């Protein structure tokens, strides 16, 4: 190696200099856990809420020992044991935006955080409702039944979105508070959805419920709802929900392969003169102007005796079944 070093107005040449490189320092980051999966908070009020989460699929190759839980505005941090998968935040301010984070900790360090943002309800807002339930589904609709509540409800707000869409793609409908159900229509067949509800009382909206997973059928309807009427030889077939079109009913004995048809109707259909001590299969199809498909099949068992012969039924006894 030849170095030329200038010094004032002279030039010095230095030869036979040996170069010794410095050793390279390598750092290896030890694996930490992945982010936990946060559920929607529940027990939401103007001053508190409960945050819940699930263990991440990746623990970093080392067992998780505890959780780091954090809230902003003002900053609050704490740690909870590994077997505690929830934390109740209290002393919150009404109508304020909050961001919450949860991350897993193992002996290598703290992993990535999962976060959730929410605005606490204002003072006087109704409490967060419980989860609704899905009581009927088709290829393009879902019937949602609201949970029973103790507050006078002005209206329900129902939101839905496909699971594959973003959190800003909710579609909302409002339903009068006197109703107990709502129909979500124009959905995609064979698709998974999230559904959540809120209630409005005295013009104040509650927090939305946690998200309910629901799925439309790939095609056709869920099995019809059947009611075995007094006497045991008649069945009432309920009109398919979420449809104003006429529908037809097919039914047969379990030991037969021949389906019997009823006339088209827009109201519930009564099947009469059935055999006692027999199992019947029942299905429906909606006549909506398109190539209709029959629903899944419901099964129902008629009694062994009529009430006149053996007193099998009491005066007001009704049996019902709904097999999906």
């Amino acid at each position: 190696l030849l170095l030329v070093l200038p010094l004032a107005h002279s030039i010095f040449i230095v030869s036979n200099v040996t170069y010794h490189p410095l050793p390279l320092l390598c750092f290896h980051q030890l694996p930490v856990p992945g982010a936990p999966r946060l559920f929607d908070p529940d027990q939401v009020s103007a001053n508190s809420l409960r945050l819940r989460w699930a263990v991440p699929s990746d623990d970093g190759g080392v067992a998780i020992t505890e959780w780091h839980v954090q809230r902003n505005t003002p900053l609050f941090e704490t740690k909870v044991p590994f077997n505690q998968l929830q934390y109740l935040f209290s002393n919150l301010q009404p109508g304020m935006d909050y961001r919450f984070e949860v991350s897993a900790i193992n002996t290598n360090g703290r992993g990535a955080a999962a976060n959730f943002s929410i605005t606490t309800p204002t003072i006087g807002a109704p409490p967060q409702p419980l989860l609704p339930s899905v009581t009927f589904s088709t290829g393009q609709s879902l019937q949602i039944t609201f949970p029973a509540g103790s507050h006078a409800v002005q209206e329900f707000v129902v939101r839905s979105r496909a699971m594959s869409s973003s959190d800003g793609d909710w579609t909302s409908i409002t339903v009068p508070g006197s109703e107990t159900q709502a129909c979500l229509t124009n959905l995609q067949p064979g698709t998974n959805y999230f559904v959540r509800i809120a209630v409005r009382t005295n013009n104040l909206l509650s927090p939305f419920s946690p998200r309910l997973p629901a799925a439309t059928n790939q095609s056709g309807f869920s099995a019809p709802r059947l009611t075995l009427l007094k006497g045991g030889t008649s069945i009432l077939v309920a009109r398919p929900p979420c449809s104003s079109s006429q529908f037809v009913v097919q039914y047969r004995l379990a030991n037969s392969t021949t389906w019997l048809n009823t006339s088209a109707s827009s109201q519930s259909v009564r099947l009469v003169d059935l055999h006692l001590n027999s199992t019947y299969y029942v299905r429906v199809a909606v006549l909506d102007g398109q190539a209709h498909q029959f629903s899944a099949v419901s099964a129902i068992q008629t009694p062994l005796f009529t009430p006149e012969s053996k007193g099998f039924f009491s005066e007001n006894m009704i049996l019902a079944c709904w097999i999906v």
Side-chain angles (χ1 to χ4, degrees), residues 34-42 49-57 67-71 80 84-89 98-104 112-118 161 167 194 196 210-211 213:
R37 181 167 63 95
L38 281 183
F39 301 112
D40 291 340
D42 60 4
L49 61 81
R50 185 176 68 165
L51 199 63
R52 301 171 300 133
W53 59 89
V55 177
S57 57
W67 307 97
H68 179 268
V69 181
Q70 179 176 318
R71 179 204 69 204
V80 297
Q84 180 179 325
L85 298 176
Q86 61 184 32
Y87 189 82
L88 181 65
F89 287 92
Y98 284 98
R99 178 185 172 94
F100 303 93
E101 293 186 357
V102 180
S103 53
N115 62 77
F116 190 93
S117 297
I118 190 173
R161 70 170 176 87
D167 208 47
F194 283 132
R196 60 196 315 192
R211 289 173 291 184

Side-chain angles (χ1 to χ4, degrees), residues 98-313:
Y98 284 98
R99 178 185 172 94
F100 303 93
E101 293 186 357
V102 180
S103 53
I105 299 174
N106 63 15
T107 54
N108 294 333
R110 193 171 87 191
N115 62 77
F116 190 93
S117 297
I118 190 173
T119 302
T120 51
T122 56
I123 293 292
Q128 183 187 37
L130 300 174
L131 278 173
S133 59
V134 176
T135 48
F136 197 82
S137 64
T138 74
Q140 295 180 308
S141 63
L142 293 168
Q143 184 189 57
I144 306 301
T145 298
F146 304 130
S150 58
H151 294 261
V153 176
Q154 179 181 345
E155 66 179 6
F156 293 95
V157 180
V158 184
R159 286 183 176 177
S160 61
R161 70 170 176 87
M163 288 187 185
S164 58
S165 64
S166 67
D167 208 47
D169 292 335
W170 293 96
T171 299
S172 297
I173 63 170
T174 58
V175 181
S178 58
E179 300 292 328
T180 59
Q181 296 174 325
C183 283
L184 306 177
T185 57
N186 299 319
L187 306 179
Q188 296 300 314
T191 303
N192 294 316
Y193 286 86
F194 283 132
V195 179
R196 60 196 315 192
I197 65 169
V199 298
R200 194 184 306 277
T201 304
N202 298 325
N203 294 319
L204 293 175
L205 189 66
S206 75
F208 276 89
S209 68
R211 289 173 291 184
L212 172 73
T216 53
N217 296 347
Q218 189 64 42
S219 61
F221 286 82
S222 299
R225 181 180 180 182
L226 309 179
T227 303
L228 185 62
L229 300 177
K230 184 177 61 178
T233 58
S234 299
I235 296 172
L236 187 68
V237 184
R239 182 179 66 84
C242 302
S243 173
S244 58
S245 302
Q246 289 190 320
F247 71 103
V248 295
V249 177
Q250 284 190 341
Y251 65 103
R252 66 176 175 87
L253 285 164
N255 58 3
S256 172
T257 58
T258 302
W259 290 96
L260 304 177
N261 296 275
T262 67
S263 301
S265 174
S266 58
Q267 303 298 323
S268 297
V269 173
R270 184 189 294 255
L271 307 179
V272 298
D273 298 327
L274 304 178
H275 298 295
L276 292 172
N277 192 29
S278 300
T279 299
Y280 281 87
Y281 294 150
V282 183
R283 63 185 185 182
V284 300
V286 173
L287 306 178
D288 55 4
Q290 303 176 0
H292 57 271
Q293 293 181 314
F294 278 95
S295 69
V297 172
S298 286
I300 192 168
Q301 174 73 35
T302 57
L304 183 61
F305 304 107
T306 63
E308 292 79 10
S309 61
K310 295 293 183 179
F312 186 85
F313 287 93

